[in-house]
Amino acid sequence: MAHEGITPDMTIAEIMMKDPEVVPVLLSTGIHCIGCPASQGESLAEAAMVHGIDIDDLMDAIHNAPAAAE
Protein backbone atom coordinates (compact mmCIF):
# COMPACT_ATOMS: atom_id res chain seq x y z
CA MET A 1 0.00 0.00 0.00
CA ALA A 2 1.39 3.39 -0.97
CA HIS A 3 1.99 6.13 1.56
CA GLU A 4 1.98 3.92 4.63
CA GLY A 5 2.55 5.57 7.97
CA ILE A 6 0.29 8.56 7.35
CA THR A 7 -2.25 8.81 10.17
CA PRO A 8 -5.16 11.18 10.89
CA ASP A 9 -3.45 12.54 14.00
CA MET A 10 -0.36 13.73 12.10
CA THR A 11 -0.12 17.44 11.34
CA ILE A 12 -0.18 18.60 7.74
CA ALA A 13 3.45 19.71 8.18
CA GLU A 14 4.48 16.26 9.47
CA ILE A 15 2.80 14.63 6.49
CA MET A 16 4.52 16.96 4.03
CA MET A 17 7.91 16.18 5.58
CA LYS A 18 7.30 12.43 5.74
CA ASP A 19 5.71 11.99 2.32
CA PRO A 20 5.55 15.07 0.05
CA GLU A 21 3.84 12.98 -2.63
CA VAL A 22 0.65 13.25 -0.57
CA VAL A 23 0.39 17.01 -1.22
CA PRO A 24 -1.46 16.62 -4.57
CA VAL A 25 -4.02 14.37 -2.85
CA LEU A 26 -4.62 16.99 -0.17
CA LEU A 27 -4.94 19.76 -2.76
CA SER A 28 -7.32 17.73 -4.90
CA THR A 29 -9.65 17.18 -1.95
CA GLY A 30 -9.79 20.89 -1.09
CA ILE A 31 -7.25 20.94 1.71
CA HIS A 32 -5.16 23.91 0.58
CA CYS A 33 -3.55 24.70 3.93
CA ILE A 34 -0.21 23.38 2.71
CA GLY A 35 1.64 26.65 3.27
CA CYS A 36 -0.51 28.31 5.89
CA PRO A 37 0.52 28.52 9.55
CA ALA A 38 -2.30 26.15 10.51
CA SER A 39 -0.42 23.32 8.79
CA GLN A 40 2.08 23.36 11.65
CA GLY A 41 -0.47 22.51 14.32
CA GLU A 42 -3.58 21.23 12.58
CA SER A 43 -3.95 17.48 12.30
CA LEU A 44 -5.15 15.82 9.14
CA ALA A 45 -8.36 14.85 10.94
CA GLU A 46 -8.94 18.46 12.01
CA ALA A 47 -8.28 19.75 8.49
CA ALA A 48 -10.70 17.20 7.07
CA MET A 49 -13.37 18.22 9.56
CA VAL A 50 -12.92 21.95 8.85
CA HIS A 51 -13.19 21.32 5.11
CA GLY A 52 -16.15 18.95 5.38
CA ILE A 53 -14.22 15.91 4.19
CA ASP A 54 -14.82 12.45 5.58
CA ILE A 55 -11.53 11.38 7.20
CA ASP A 56 -11.97 7.74 6.17
CA ASP A 57 -12.44 8.75 2.53
CA LEU A 58 -9.40 11.01 2.75
CA MET A 59 -7.26 8.25 4.28
CA ASP A 60 -8.37 5.90 1.49
CA ALA A 61 -7.41 8.50 -1.12
CA ILE A 62 -4.00 8.98 0.49
CA HIS A 63 -3.25 5.30 0.85
CA ASN A 64 -4.42 4.48 -2.67
CA ALA A 65 -2.63 7.34 -4.43
CA PRO A 66 0.16 6.16 -6.71
CA ALA A 67 3.65 6.46 -5.29
CA ALA A 68 6.65 7.50 -7.32
CA ALA A 69 8.83 4.69 -8.58
CA GLU A 70 11.72 3.98 -6.30
Side-chain angles (χ1 to χ4, degrees):
M1 186 182 304
H3 313 293
E4 291 184 30
I6 304 296
T7 63
D9 63 325
M10 294 175 76
T11 65
I12 303 296
E14 289 172 328
I15 293 168
M16 290 188 307
M17 290 182 67
K18 178 176 178 58
D19 191 350
E21 292 180 19
V22 172
V23 170
V25 177
L26 299 178
L27 293 172
S28 73
T29 60
I31 297 178
H32 299 129
C33 41
I34 304 306
C36 76
S39 71
Q40 299 298 313
E42 186 174 55
S43 73
L44 184 60
E46 291 168 330
M49 181 184 65
V50 166
H51 293 283
I53 300 165
D54 182 272
I55 189 61
D56 294 326
D57 292 343
L58 179 56
M59 293 304 298
D60 286 343
I62 289 170
H63 290 140
N64 292 315
E70 295 185 22

